[in-house]
Amino acid sequence: MNPRSPLPGLWPVLLVLTLAACGTEPAPGPDADSPGGAAPSAPGPGRAALEARAAAIQTTTGHVYVTEVPGYTLARQSVGVLGDDGFGSFYVAAGGKRIQLSVERGTLTASNCATGPRPGGGPGTPAACERDGANWYRSTPDSHEYARAEGEVVVRVGGARGEVDRDTLRTAAEAAHRADDRELDEILPPAGRAPGAGPVERGDLPPVGDGAPNNDVGASG
């Protein structure tokens, strides 16, 4: 994994703090004033706006992928950059089960499958690899994933063995695809609300002077 990658070490910790706030958003209800009770369709954002929203999280629209897995829902607060300009997200199910979707620049072939990034991250023995349809199935004793090369990127769908079985991962991998404009609009953070955007206000900074933190203490030390 790229050293800048927030996965997998940081993301599971962040998810513990954020998943309680994640959830599905209900679809708009029918509009009684519309013919047949159907809500009028509004034009989606233009392509330039979608590109700008992707750039705000330091990725590109071409690296944003989505998938569909029965019983799993995208954790919207997990959406973010992976590595230099890749993309990553988690899909969650009841009981805290997680599937990680990641997209990064790279190659995946029969010659480097076993020695590539270890499923689940961290040090350890090379992954066992086997071809399964259009994907490679890569596994270690505690984690596994399906992966495939698409152009300049490698698309990976994985999880812990104790949380997700191989059949579920295969379903997620086969459904993984580059997000279309509608899907981009649904999952990319709104303009101006990229994760981590904006300065963090600190209460220990004095209002005058060079802005150094105020570390004064009382006479007792």
Side-chain angles (χ1 to χ4, degrees):
M1 286 286 183
N2 190 299
R4 291 184 54 196
S5 170
L7 296 173
L10 292 179
W11 282 24
V13 176
L14 294 174
L15 283 173
V16 171
L17 301 176
T18 61
L19 284 182
C22 298
T24 57
E25 298 179 2
D31 187 340
D33 296 330
S34 300
S41 59
R47 190 68 187 182
L50 294 172
E51 294 283 1
R53 286 164 59 183
I57 60 171
Q58 302 177 24
T59 189
T60 70
T61 56
H63 293 176
V64 179
Y65 276 62
V66 294
T67 188
E68 294 182 6
V69 192
Y72 285 78
T73 303
L74 174 67
R76 295 180 185 277
Q77 293 188 24
S78 71
V79 170
V81 66
L82 182 61
D84 292 329
D85 62 353
F87 176 80
S89 63
F90 276 93
Y91 288 76
V92 298
K97 298 178 180 179
R98 300 189 304 264
I99 292 176
Q100 175 187 331
L101 169 65
S102 62
V103 181
E104 283 192 283
R105 295 180 189 271
T107 61
L108 180 63
T109 64
S111 61
N112 70 6
C113 180
T115 57
R118 188 171 183 264
T125 57
C129 281
E130 65 177 274
R131 192 73 178 182
D132 190 343
N135 297 278
W136 289 95
Y137 176 66
R138 308 177 69 244
S139 62
T140 65
D142 57 356
S143 58
H144 54 167
E145 71 178 14
Y146 273 92
R148 69 176 182 268
E150 287 195 4
E152 65 179 7
V153 300
V154 177
V155 182
R156 304 178 188 274
V157 179
R161 284 184 174 274
E163 291 186 8
V164 56
D165 59 43
R166 178 171 175 174
D167 287 343
T168 302
L169 282 184
R170 183 189 296 110
T171 297
E174 290 175 349
H177 62 277
R178 184 174 294 166
D180 61 25
D181 285 5
R182 177 187 60 80
E183 292 164 330
L184 288 169
D185 188 34
E186 289 178 352
I187 67 176
L188 288 174
R193 291 182 56 189
V200 176
E201 294 186 7
R202 291 180 52 181
D204 62 342
L205 296 179
V208 295
D210 62 2
N214 183 351
N215 295 318
D216 292 344
V217 295
S220 62

